[in-house]
Amino acid sequence: MTGVGGGQASRVSVARCDTYAKDSMRSAVEGMLETLGGMGVFVRPGERIALKPNLLLAKPPQAAITTHPLLVEVVAELVREAGGEPVLIESSAAGMPQFHRGMERVLRRTGMREMADRIGLEVDVEGDTRAVSLPEAQLTKRLDLLTSALDADGLISLAKFKTHTFTTFTGAVKNLFGCVPGLTKAGYHAKLSDVDHFADMLLDVHQALRPRLSLMDGVLALEGDGPGTGGTPRELGLLLASADALALDAAACRIAGIPEEAVPVFRRARVRGYQGWASGETEIVLHGLDRLPLEPFRRPKRALDPTGYNTTGRLQRLVRELGKQALTPRPRPSSERCTGCRTCSRACPVGAIRMRDRLAVVADDRCIRCYCCHELCPEAAIDLELSRMGRVAERLGLV
Ligand code: SF4
Ligand code: SF4
């Protein structure tokens, strides 16, 4: 076990774990938790502990889009050994009833159902919600959240190590957006198409749910145009854990070579004055590694550029909107790959997608560039393309 950094900092554990084998995963997770004080610090006997994996799509674990069921299994075992009662929760947009027979299909395809049945893990994906008031929140003063998360005694975020076309990186903080029910998520995309506003909402959700512990599955990670089928799996061989979800994400981005300023959640955390999470402030403890790995990830080709969207004047808003239309990538369903499944048209928060001859067609003037369709398309059939002006600006290094 090797220490890096130090001081009054959040602590992040990083462990080598090359394969999804039970013994190595269990020993890596135990090692990381020992550094954080052991599972007993996070779970008291008799407590109900919600385990929230990333189950974005009904895809198998080798697609690297969802948290591997083995990590959930190991953490559930450790919660039980600490005297707690684990329950798997989720409300994937891809799992809503109108999408391919709902959440059960997501559970089966991701391997979660087999694992949960085998170890007798309770699964609560009913999607019941409750509105909560958040007077302290900076942006969203009222949120609809899963009762399965709100009513649990404690929450553990089990994130996947992935790049993200809209938010650049998705980790333990963004994973909690899954506690916003199903298609309500698309509503937030519609209202908060400004990525910094969206990041503020994510920080509000995080503040409301306050996970006791976060772990990240980076054994097989995802780079490029994630977080869905547009991304590319990458063997990283790492697990991460921390009581501080933001610090965990910052350590992951440090490993992936993603600068802080490229991630909207970190930009907003800075503005809010959050402390103790950034790479220079964090104590990183290594297990099975002699130094923190640096594995530069391919970032999303079409990530939104942070161009200062927080303007309020009418002219500024108009310029921003025109610039956004011209310079940000447009979703383009491929006629060769689109199967006409309608997932995208049902998910689009502003009704910008129509089906024509069983092919998805996007109305650019209505599209707010939230990329829900790109994220949820099960066939990786939605490309993100720049307009001619956007391509010129890209060549000039302006976007
Ligand atoms: S673009 Fe994708 S999500 Fe939309 S209809 Fe075609 S296959 Fe389905
Ligand atoms: S077309 Fe796609 S990117 Fe555009 S608003 Fe609809 S879901 Fe979002």
Side-chain angles (χ1 to χ4, degrees), residues 32-49:
M32 291 192 300
L33 291 185
E34 201 177 305
T35 304
L36 303 175
M39 188 59 98
V41 169
F42 305 102
V43 177
R44 284 178 287 279
E47 285 189 326
R48 186 174 170 83
I49 303 295

Side-chain angles (χ1 to χ4, degrees), residues 100 332-334 337-346 353-355 358-361 373-374 376-383:
H100 319 288
R332 282 285 169 272
S334 154
R337 304 195 299 280
C338 175
T339 59
C341 72
R342 301 173 64 90
T343 299
C344 58
S345 59
R346 287 173 176 139
I353 304 179
R354 294 273 176 276
M355 303 305 295
R358 294 182 53 77
L359 289 178
V361 178
C373 52
H374 176 262
L376 293 172
C377 173
E379 308 298 335
I382 298 187
D383 299 320

Side-chain angles (χ1 to χ4, degrees), residues 11-33:
R11 180 175 283 184
V12 181
S13 290
V14 182
R16 170 64 67 203
C17 182
D18 288 318
T19 60
Y20 290 110
K22 178 80 179 276
D23 288 352
S24 38
M25 170 109 16
R26 168 124 188 169
S27 124
V29 172
E30 278 182 326
M32 291 192 300
L33 291 185

